Amino acid sequence: MTEELRGTVRKIIFSSDDGRFCVFLLEDKESRKIMTAAYRGPAPYVGQPVLLRGCWERHPRFGMQFKCSTLENTKPEESEEIKQFLASGLIDGIGPSMAGRIVDHFGRKTLDVFENRIDDLRQVPGIGRKTLAKIKESYEKVREEQELIMFLQSLGISESFAADIRKRYGGETEDVLSGDPYRMVRDIPGLGFQEVDRIALAKGVDPDDADRVTKGIEYTISRALAQGHACAPESSVFRNASLLLGVTEDIVREAGKESIENGFIPSLVWNDKRYLYLPSLYEAETESALRIKSLLHAEPLGSSRLAVEKFEREKGLTLADRQREAVEKALKSGVLIITGGPGTGKTTLVQAIITAARQFQLKVRLMAPTGRAAKRLSLSSGVEADTIHKALEAELHDSGRTFFNRNESDPLKEDLIIVDEASMMDISLFYHLLCALKEGARLILVGDIDQLPPVGPGSPLKDLIAWGEVPVVRLEHIFRQKEGSGIIDNAARIREGQMCYPDEEGEFLIYYAASEPDAFREIMLLCRDMDYGSEKMKMKMQVLSPMYRGACGVDHLNRAIQELVHDHPVEGAVHFLPGDKVMQKKNDYDKGVYNGDLGIVWAVDKNKIFVRFDSKEVVYEGEERSSIQLAYAATVHKSQGSEYDTVILVLLPTQGIMLKRNLLYTGVTRARKKTILISTEDAIARAVSRADTASRYSLFLPLLKGEAKS
């Protein structure tokens, strides 16, 4: 049952580094008793009157706490509340002593004085012209911030977003709220359309307003992107937008048709159905189709026979017929796809292609979607490799959009671009890569098509293979039989939809769990027995799970393993401790670290976290600290492009929708030497039997075939 508490914040006991959790002492307004409250959000000010909604619960270590679901700032009313508020340090020029003198002089009318006749503060001893001017300026800022916070909180929008809005727009905040509120969806990370829409309606926007409806349509399309779609059918977009906005479908259809005709919402027709796009994805799909077709017209180079023979002599091996075929195609084709599972010789083939390319004085550039994949490619090929974002000199603009400095006007200088782990590329990144190719450059895409699809929209590698016009070399023969044979054999079984089994050499182990708590205990025992927290093992092994939530979800596992590693409880929200294994959550072009990069925390102070990524040291300050997360456990999706000596993979019936063949296959193949699968027979059977048949709305393939029209 939800209860309310009114009172004044007396002390902040704990505030997380990322500002997402706090514990504080509250003096109840009626009883004057001191109570403990916990809130998932930024800490309030000491002396701030607040209204809390939530319920009481007993913390196992700290006793009874009021768990706040919402926290609202209220205006102080009593003289003592006002004194505490003024003494909090919020207003420049007013300390505890001055706050006491002001309230002693004006009493309960103090805030009325600040609001309506602030010049009367000159009556208070110690307040001269300069001090008054400082107080005026500071109070005006505090007043505006408080009014903004209270207005937004009345709409159910948190104080943290209010602070972000104020920080982003400054003195223009009110103009944005009243004139162009929907720009906040783009400008304020994490603030969704529905929250912004509540603000817009509260500011007087008509529910039927054409601009509101168009923004609702665009938001509905954008929601599809989170599911991997590049576009969405017009009929479902209009229907869902109608439900979202609370207006008739006729109103949505009218606004939508006008926006399509005016070009604000791009669209294509395929199989007598119209599909709607966001402009950036429309450009990515249509232009990528045109650029791929132009690559197919590349002039063939000479024979690779001499280069292949030289490579074989230097390496002391003989290439398989399929590998020789691939080297030949690499010199004849403007674009080539090489696909195959683990152990099928992709790395050897890339080395041979590089040798052949150099025979013809071609400059070669290697890249991969993630930092880990790029590093692995560098080590295996002997040639420096970068992330695609680094190679294209990506920058994050203030608008939140990524800009690529390597593009059509300033392309890459290399003649041959080889991209490993190409199955991870979404259509947007693929498009920007194509834009960066110089005239006459060749492109080779290397990847395992049986892995998970890209996190982002589209599946360009899959579509190119399905098209049938791009040369494809499928590597099926397994060369790495001795090294990790248990992993490779089981990966092959999973790919074919068959059950996997432990092998005699102990390279592929299965622990059958009776329940989720049983699986959790097994993971913790393995982490302890294998000394996961040691410097030797920390980066050589990885715990993987399909999901973030649950006892065997990534969040809970990370917290539990962190406590195991450090041998003591870690209270409150996420804390980073020296020695913690962490992951970069998003691309940071300024710091030179990218989504999925793994590092070790080597020092922590009050407001800074120091992390070592391979040979690079990165400092995170203030809000930047939210860019990293614990990485003792990671999702299977996040592990793509990485390899570890040992992988512990948990796969349980409770993970339902995630039990798919490509997820199990991807998780298993992240290990070089040992895979430990913690699962049940039922979960494994369900996973291997379920191919990921969920189709993505994308017209890249129909565009390649010439079937999609404007």
Side-chain angles (χ1 to χ4, degrees):
M1 181 178 176
T2 302
E3 298 183 50
E4 288 187 357
L5 284 182
R6 289 181 183 270
T8 304
V9 178
R10 291 301 182 214
K11 183 181 180 180
I12 306 299
I13 298 174
F14 170 78
S15 179
S16 66
D17 292 335
D18 59 6
R20 297 182 182 275
F21 181 77
C22 63
V23 180
F24 57 91
L25 297 181
L26 181 83
E27 182 181 325
D28 184 68
K29 187 173 182 177
E30 294 184 2
S31 67
R32 300 300 181 186
K33 290 182 178 178
I34 302 297
M35 305 171 180
T36 304
Y39 175 56
R40 291 201 172 278
Y45 300 113
V46 174
Q48 175 67 55
V50 292
L51 169 63
L52 311 180
R53 293 186 179 89
C55 60
W56 289 98
E57 66 174 28
R58 183 174 294 279
H59 191 279
R61 292 187 64 192
F62 303 110
M64 292 300 292
Q65 291 183 348
F66 191 78
K67 186 179 180 181
C68 309
S69 55
T70 64
L71 183 154
E72 294 181 16
N73 294 332
T74 61
K75 286 189 175 182
E77 298 175 350
E78 305 295 332
S79 294
E80 191 58 34
E81 289 180 342
I82 298 170
K83 190 179 294 183
Q84 287 280 345
F85 172 69
L86 294 178
S88 65
L90 284 175
I91 303 172
D92 293 342
I94 301 179
S97 176
M98 180 63 75
R101 292 202 298 274
I102 293 172
V103 176
D104 288 345
H105 189 87
F106 296 109
R108 296 182 65 178
K109 296 181 179 179
T110 298
L111 291 186
D112 180 66
V113 171
F114 272 85
E115 291 284 344
N116 302 307
R117 44 196 178 93
I118 196 168
D119 287 345
D120 287 359
L121 291 177
R122 287 286 307 275
Q123 300 172 16
V124 179
I127 298 182
R129 283 194 175 89
K130 289 185 179 179
T131 302
L132 179 63
K134 185 188 293 185
I135 292 172
K136 273 185 173 181
E137 183 180 359
S138 181
Y139 180 72
E140 182 61 24
K141 290 181 180 178
V142 171
R143 185 182 65 80
E144 289 177 359
E145 288 177 2
Q146 292 292 311
E147 287 180 353
L148 173 66
I149 289 169
M150 292 177 70
F151 167 67
L152 294 177
Q153 286 184 334
S154 70
L155 303 174
I157 295 166
S158 72
E159 184 179 347
S160 60
F161 279 130
D164 290 342
I165 292 169
R166 183 70 184 175
K167 182 180 178 181
R168 177 69 174 81
Y169 303 118
E172 299 178 356
T173 300
E174 185 56 38
D175 291 339
V176 172
L177 295 182
S178 299
D180 188 16
Y182 293 100
R183 65 179 287 191
M184 291 188 289
V185 177
R186 180 184 67 248
D187 293 346
I188 309 298
L191 188 63
F193 174 85
Q194 289 168 300
E195 289 87 355
V196 172
D197 193 45
R198 287 201 295 272
I199 297 171
L201 292 172
K203 285 291 185 179
V205 170
D206 191 312
D208 296 349
D209 181 81
D211 184 57
R212 175 184 182 249
V213 176
T214 301
K215 292 293 193 298
I217 293 171
E218 291 173 348
Y219 172 70
T220 304
I221 299 169
S222 72
R223 284 201 300 186
L225 307 189
Q227 306 301 316
H229 305 300
C231 55
E234 180 187 74
S235 56
S236 67
V237 170
F238 289 171
R239 181 174 61 254
N240 292 330
S242 169
L243 294 171
L244 170 75
L245 298 168
V247 300
T248 66
E249 198 167 327
D250 287 342
I251 291 173
V252 174
R253 189 175 293 105
E254 183 179 349
K257 295 288 188 186
E258 185 176 345
S259 294
I260 293 168
E261 289 172 4
N262 294 335
F264 295 131
I265 297 177
S267 68
L268 290 170
V269 177
W270 178 60
N271 281 351
D272 299 325
K273 289 184 179 180
R274 185 171 295 277
Y275 293 82
L276 308 185
Y277 284 87
L278 296 184
S280 61
L281 270 298
Y282 175 82
E283 181 181 1
E285 293 220 316
T286 55
E287 285 295 313
S288 292
L290 293 173
R291 291 174 183 270
I292 280 291
K293 289 178 180 180
S294 69
L295 282 178
L296 293 176
H297 301 301
E299 289 292 326
L301 301 175
S303 172
S304 63
R305 182 177 60 81
L306 292 176
V308 168
E309 290 175 355
K310 178 186 177 186
F311 176 78
E312 291 177 329
R313 284 196 306 272
E314 290 176 350
K315 297 293 182 179
L317 53 79
T318 301
L319 294 180
D321 291 343
R322 191 65 60 84
Q323 290 174 312
R324 286 173 172 268
E325 175 195 345
V327 178
E328 196 71 28
K329 286 183 176 179
L331 299 180
K332 290 183 178 180
S333 310
V335 58
L336 172 68
I337 295 172
I338 300 169
T339 184
T344 55
K346 294 193 297 293
T347 299
T348 302
L349 179 52
V350 168
Q351 292 173 332
I353 290 172
I354 293 171
T355 301
R358 287 171 174 169
Q359 175 190 332
F360 292 92
Q361 287 77 52
L362 300 182
K363 294 180 180 177
V364 181
R365 185 74 178 269
L366 271 57
M367 55 186 77
T370 68
R372 297 279 295 181
K375 182 183 177 182
R376 184 160 54 86
L377 180 59
S378 295
L379 293 172
S380 63
S381 67
V383 178
E384 187 66 28
D386 290 315
T387 66
I388 299 173
H389 284 84
K390 184 178 180 180
L392 302 188
E393 298 177 15
E395 289 182 358
L396 188 65
H397 279 202
D398 292 339
S399 64
R401 294 190 64 180
T402 299
F403 178 80
F404 295 89
N405 287 291
R406 291 294 184 182
N407 49 46
E408 198 168 24
S409 61
D410 188 14
L412 296 165
K413 294 178 173 58
E414 290 78 16
D415 307 292
L416 175 62
I417 308 300
I418 301 176
V419 181
D420 197 15
E421 299 288 352
S423 63
M424 296 178 64
M425 279 195 298
D426 62 27
I427 189 65
S428 180
L429 185 57
F430 183 58
Y431 165 59
H432 288 293
L433 172 64
L434 292 175
C435 288
L437 300 181
K438 73 176 186 178
E439 186 76 23
R442 287 168 155 78
L443 176 66
I444 296 176
L445 303 174
V446 184
D448 187 347
I449 199 64
D450 295 307
Q451 290 189 31
L452 288 164
V455 174
S459 297
L461 185 67
K462 182 180 177 182
D463 288 340
L464 287 172
I465 293 173
W467 182 32
E469 297 295 324
V470 173
V472 178
V473 176
R474 299 178 185 270
L475 302 177
E476 295 173 341
H477 179 74
I478 295 173
F479 296 93
R480 247 171 53 200
Q481 196 66 35
K482 290 183 179 179
E483 182 190 344
S485 60
I487 298 169
I488 293 171
D489 289 348
N490 277 293
R493 291 190 188 102
I494 294 166
R495 191 172 59 243
E496 297 300 319
Q498 301 172 13
M499 290 290 285
C500 49
Y501 302 98
D503 70 321
E504 294 180 359
E505 290 79 16
E507 293 161 346
F508 193 98
L509 303 175
I510 302 178
Y511 288 78
Y512 293 105
S515 63
E516 191 166 16
D518 184 41
F520 173 75
R521 285 191 294 272
E522 191 61 55
I523 294 169
M524 299 308 294
L525 285 171
L526 285 167
C527 289
R528 184 195 66 192
D529 294 346
M530 299 174 74
D531 198 17
Y532 188 12
S534 68
E535 292 300 314
K536 179 182 177 181
M537 295 298 297
K538 200 173 290 177
M539 301 300 281
K540 290 184 176 181
M541 65 180 284
Q542 185 65 54
V543 177
L544 298 178
S545 175
M547 303 176 72
Y548 282 98
R549 295 183 177 180
C552 289
V554 167
D555 290 339
H556 184 243
L557 286 172
N558 266 323
R559 192 62 168 273
I561 298 171
Q562 184 191 38
E563 293 186 347
L564 175 72
V565 168
H566 295 286
D567 197 28
H568 63 76
V570 182
E571 300 297 339
V574 175
H575 274 292
F576 300 105
L577 303 173
D580 276 339
K581 180 180 179 180
V582 295
M583 178 183 289
Q584 178 73 15
K585 293 163 57 176
K586 58 184 179 181
N587 294 329
D588 190 321
Y589 311 115
D590 293 332
K591 295 184 185 297
V593 287
Y594 300 92
N595 185 10
D597 284 357
L598 293 176
I600 301 293
V601 176
W602 64 271
V604 178
D605 70 11
K606 186 176 181 181
N607 198 45
K608 295 181 181 178
I609 300 171
F610 302 83
V611 181
R612 188 176 289 111
F613 294 92
D614 295 324
S615 59
K616 182 193 297 288
E617 293 184 354
V618 178
V619 182
Y620 296 86
E621 299 184 68
E623 295 179 358
E624 293 176 346
R625 292 169 296 182
S626 63
S627 299
I628 54 174
Q629 64 186 38
L630 291 173
Y632 296 105
T635 63
V636 179
H637 284 83
K638 278 286 190 181
S639 74
Q640 278 193 272
S642 300
E643 280 191 348
Y644 312 89
D645 284 355
T646 301
V647 164
I648 301 172
L649 172 63
V650 59
L651 197 73
L652 300 171
T654 53
Q655 293 160 341
I657 194 171
M658 305 302 291
L659 300 180
K660 293 180 180 179
R661 189 184 303 166
N662 55 4
L663 183 136
L664 176 58
Y665 176 85
T666 302
V668 164
T669 55
R670 296 312 88 203
R672 284 187 290 261
K673 297 180 179 179
K674 186 185 288 291
T675 293
I676 303 173
L677 177 59
I678 299 174
S679 187
T680 68
E681 287 192 3
D682 176 60
I684 297 171
R686 285 167 63 187
V688 298
S689 66
R690 294 170 64 189
D692 192 356
T693 56
S695 59
R696 295 187 168 195
Y697 292 124
S698 166
L699 300 188
F700 182 47
L701 180 57
L703 283 163
L704 289 168
K705 292 179 176 181
E707 297 173 353
K709 307 294 181 182
S710 299

